[in-house]
Amino acid sequence: MSNGFGRRKFLLYGSASLGASLFLKACSNPQDEGTGTTGDSPGETGSPIAQSDGDVIKVGILHSLSGTMAISEKSVVDAEQLAIEEINNAGGVLGKKIQAVVEDGASDWPTFAEKARKLIDQDRVVTVFGCWTSASRKAVLPVFEEKKHMLWYPVQYEGQECSQNIFYTGAAPNQQIEPAVDWLLENKGNQFFLIGSDYVFPRTANTIIKAQVEAKGGQILGEDYIPLGGTEVTPIITKIKAALPDGGVIFNTLNGDSNVAFFKQMQGAGLTPDLYPTMSVSIAEEEVKAIGPEYLQGQYAAWNYFQTVDTPENKKFVEAFKGKYGADRVTNDPMEAAYIMVHLWKQAVEAAGTADDLEAVRKAAIGQTFQAPEGLVTLENNHHISKTVRIGEVRDDGMFEIVYATDSPVVPVPWNQYVADTKGYACDWSDPSKGGKYKMEGA
């Protein structure tokens, strides 16, 4: 479905508006800046149409079940359904069962916005768990802000956003991208080539990476993009070989099916991990399985969770997931972030004593902790969660050997501190005077 607004046009719009909508001048009023600072008082009540019904609490699930992003998002839905089943089997929420209304965003961003509005207005869900790409999240954000409704978003992203209406359970850049760059500079070299899908996440991520690499004395020798879902990657590989004839680091922010073509053709072109180590931030166990471990062995990914994390909670999570969906299935970071966000929402509802008063749930969510498969997580006052950072190397069995991990969870920083226009800014939804973007003291 295009709704008269094609995917390519939307992606170009998202990229072109980057400077206007994400990187705002420090001299303007911080309370009027950035996503999530619409001037709404944090004391206002949630959407009046959110309503549990009898013995049932309806929630929305909104992901791509078709199109280029289905390779990644179908499994996220499975993880959310597993969490809902576990909660229902343990007695539900406030004595009520959770009923999920599942919608397909179809890898089409206007469709995501349309389905978000349907879930809120027609289905009257009390919250939505959804999206993967930043393009889909940006498409639905105006709907959630207009309705003062609630979205839980499970995927690592580019930051530069802090909405009162979103809880972000994937990594902020300082919990994935920035540590990955530091690790590469220390262990793999200081000459980088950046590749990505042509939409807001890769372009914003690469803005951060370029600022960070420059600050650390490294070099960016190339940068290129292809349309999301595009498979014509030969020109990128040609540019990589020209820019890095003797090898160098590739930082990969491709998403969806494009990764299949890229890694297969990269191996065919002789760009092997010993000379061209590639760090990906959207390749996890599910994608490795789909692409084929033989094309990815020896390459790297930065996440907060891998299936190989050695915790009792992860053993239980993996066993439960395989028990429900099949022994051949794998778990990954976005799935785990999706699984834990359902549990965090449930805890917030119980702490608030209501699922219908969305503002009460928002307030109760801040400070919630959960012993997740990845380790202890805490939902901070900026609506992001503290998370352990990990880097994994792809093994021949398709799993990741964890080669680096932080000693403790890293506190999320939504507004990037390498980018000049957002350096010195922070987010605090527990304080009405600060909200989605404010200048820190001494910054």
Side-chain angles (χ1 to χ4, degrees):
M1 179 179 292
S2 65
N3 293 346
F5 192 39
R7 173 193 296 167
R8 179 64 178 167
K9 184 175 180 181
F10 186 88
L11 298 182
L12 288 174
Y13 168 80
S15 299
S17 64
L18 189 60
S21 62
L22 295 179
F23 302 137
L24 299 161
K25 297 299 181 183
C27 60
S28 59
N29 181 358
Q31 288 305 307
D32 295 330
E33 293 180 58
T35 305
T37 53
T38 58
D40 296 329
S41 166
E44 291 181 28
T45 59
S47 169
I49 61 172
Q51 182 180 330
S52 52
D53 184 17
D55 294 330
V56 170
I57 297 177
K58 288 199 292 186
V59 302
I61 290 179
L62 177 57
H63 290 287
S64 295
L65 303 178
S66 58
T68 189
M69 290 308 303
I71 184 177
S72 299
E73 294 191 61
K74 285 182 177 179
S75 294
V76 173
V77 175
D78 290 342
E80 290 161 359
Q81 295 276 31
L82 173 63
I84 289 170
E85 180 180 281
E86 289 179 351
I87 293 168
N88 283 341
N89 288 344
V93 182
L94 301 177
K96 299 183 178 184
K97 299 293 186 181
I98 305 171
Q99 177 184 325
V101 181
V102 182
E103 291 289 350
D104 179 11
S107 304
D108 179 77
W109 323 136
T111 299
F112 267 91
E114 174 189 312
K115 293 299 181 69
R117 193 173 292 276
K118 172 191 174 292
L119 286 167
I120 296 169
D121 289 345
Q122 296 182 30
D123 299 305
R124 302 175 72 185
V125 301
V126 299
T127 195
V128 176
F129 305 108
C131 300
W132 176 295
T133 67
S134 289
S136 62
R137 190 191 70 256
K138 293 289 188 185
V140 304
L141 180 53
V143 177
F144 285 92
E145 296 206 327
E146 172 196 338
K147 301 290 184 180
K148 295 181 174 57
H149 218 275
M150 185 185 304
L151 171 70
W152 293 75
Y153 176 67
V155 184
Q156 44 73 266
Y157 82 121
E158 72 281 358
Q160 308 299 64
E161 178 180 299
C162 192
S163 173
Q164 181 184 5
N165 302 90
I166 300 180
F167 289 99
Y168 309 77
T169 62
N174 74 303
Q175 298 170 309
Q176 186 198 33
I177 293 171
E178 293 173 30
V181 169
D182 286 339
W183 185 85
L184 289 166
L185 287 167
E186 183 176 344
N187 295 280
K188 297 298 177 180
N190 64 358
Q191 294 185 325
F192 285 61
F193 195 105
L194 311 181
I195 65 169
S197 300
D198 193 6
Y199 74 104
V200 63
F201 164 63
R203 286 192 175 273
T204 311
N206 286 340
T207 297
I208 293 168
I209 292 168
K210 287 184 286 187
Q212 181 181 357
V213 169
E214 180 181 354
K216 299 290 181 78
Q219 295 177 288
I220 304 294
L221 297 183
E223 179 180 359
D224 207 0
Y225 301 88
I226 62 173
L228 184 64
T231 57
E232 183 47 63
V233 298
T234 301
I236 285 184
I237 291 173
T238 300
K239 291 176 184 178
I240 292 172
K241 293 175 74 173
L244 301 170
D246 300 317
V249 174
I250 301 170
F251 206 105
N252 171 34
T253 52
L254 293 172
N255 259 281
D257 295 336
S258 300
N259 278 304
V260 180
F262 175 71
F263 281 101
K264 288 184 176 181
Q265 292 189 38
M266 190 168 72
Q267 186 183 90
L271 276 65
T272 53
D274 55 332
L275 290 178
Y276 295 91
T278 300
M279 179 68 73
S280 299
V281 290
S282 295
I283 290 281
E285 288 86 345
E286 189 78 8
E287 290 76 20
V288 173
K289 182 180 178 182
I291 295 167
E294 65 271 23
Y295 297 104
L296 287 154
Q297 186 177 354
Q299 301 290 18
Y300 299 92
W303 293 103
N304 309 109
Y305 167 88
F306 294 104
Q307 185 174 307
T308 48
V309 168
D310 186 14
T311 65
E313 292 78 15
N314 187 43
K315 181 179 180 181
K316 179 182 177 181
F317 171 59
V318 173
E319 287 180 350
F321 188 85
K322 288 178 177 289
K324 180 174 176 62
Y325 296 110
D328 61 332
R329 294 292 301 277
V330 296
T331 58
N332 64 30
D333 183 286
M335 293 162 61
E336 190 256 4
Y339 171 83
I340 65 178
M341 73 185 182
V342 179
H343 283 280
L344 286 168
W345 166 81
K346 177 251 189 187
Q347 290 180 191
V349 168
E350 292 186 333
T354 175
D356 299 335
D357 185 342
L358 303 191
E359 184 52 37
V361 176
R362 271 192 282 269
K363 288 180 178 179
I366 294 175
Q368 291 295 329
T369 63
F370 184 69
Q371 196 64 48
E374 68 181 77
L376 182 67
V377 300
T378 302
L379 213 162
E380 305 290 347
N381 56 18
N382 57 23
H383 284 195
H384 296 65
I385 65 175
S386 297
K387 301 170 74 71
T388 300
V389 178
R390 295 179 171 94
I391 292 172
E393 180 179 353
V394 181
R395 306 187 315 208
D396 60 1
D397 63 354
M399 293 291 103
F400 285 87
E401 189 71 27
I402 298 172
V403 298
Y404 168 81
T406 55
D407 294 331
S408 58
V410 175
V411 175
V413 179
W415 297 110
N416 190 262
Q417 302 304 298
Y418 283 105
V419 176
D421 288 320
T422 51
K423 186 176 182 180
Y425 284 94
C427 167
D428 184 354
W429 285 113
S430 69
D431 185 342
S433 70
K434 294 178 178 178
K437 192 176 185 186
Y438 72 93
K439 192 77 169 179
M440 293 183 286
E441 289 185 17

